[in-house]
Amino acid sequence: QVQLVESGGGLVQAGGSLRLSCAASGRTSSNYAMAWFRQAPGRDREFVAGISWSGGSTGSADAVKGRFAISRDNAKNTVYLQMNNLKPEDTAAYYCAAKVGYYSGSSGNYQYWGQGTQVTVSS
């Protein structure tokens, strides 16, 4: 079992920045790919960014390319999402997820999820 705890969400003005963190505990010795998803009210959960176990491979959704960056520090069992130039449409609950193997853009492929952290961007 892996437990994931997100932090770093909050209220920010458009154009501002936030950094989300996801701390993993439990069976962290396995090679887990990690990802961030988000879900706005009334919308499906959507892929934001993913990263391989080594950190050598990353991917992100078109909507956040050039603004968001995912990274990880395996020594700290933590994954980060740096979010710059935030827009009101980025407002959502952000979730961290883990899966064995390579990261995926499909939420159904992830075995472990955090509780989420709210990001609200005001215009």
Side-chain angles (χ1 to χ4, degrees):
Q1 290 289 330
V2 175
Q3 294 78 45
L4 303 174
V5 178
E6 303 96 335
S7 61
L11 174 64
V12 64
Q13 288 189 328
S17 298
L18 282 174
R19 189 176 80 155
L20 305 183
S21 298
C22 172
S25 60
R27 194 176 175 181
T28 57
S29 58
S30 297
N31 292 356
Y32 290 103
M34 304 290 291
W36 288 95
F37 287 79
R38 66 186 182 185
Q39 188 168 19
R43 301 189 65 175
D44 292 337
R45 190 166 294 190
E46 63 176 3
F47 173 78
V48 176
I51 188 167
S52 63
W53 159 251
S54 67
S57 179
T58 62
S60 61
D62 288 343
V64 306
K65 272 189 171 66
R67 299 189 298 121
F68 291 10
I70 188 171
S71 62
R72 67 190 299 164
D73 184 341
N74 286 343
K76 297 182 178 179
N77 293 322
T78 301
V79 174
Y80 305 97
L81 184 68
Q82 178 66 44
M83 304 187 295
N84 299 325
N85 190 22
L86 282 159
K87 304 176 181 181
E89 52 263 42
D90 295 318
T91 295
Y94 283 71
Y95 297 90
C96 176
K99 69 179 294 291
V100 175
Y102 202 69
Y103 71 84
S104 165
S106 175
S107 60
N109 291 336
Y110 288 81
Q111 291 85 38
Y112 303 104
W113 290 87
Q115 295 287 71
T117 185
Q118 179 67 34
V119 172
T120 302
V121 185
S122 63
S123 57

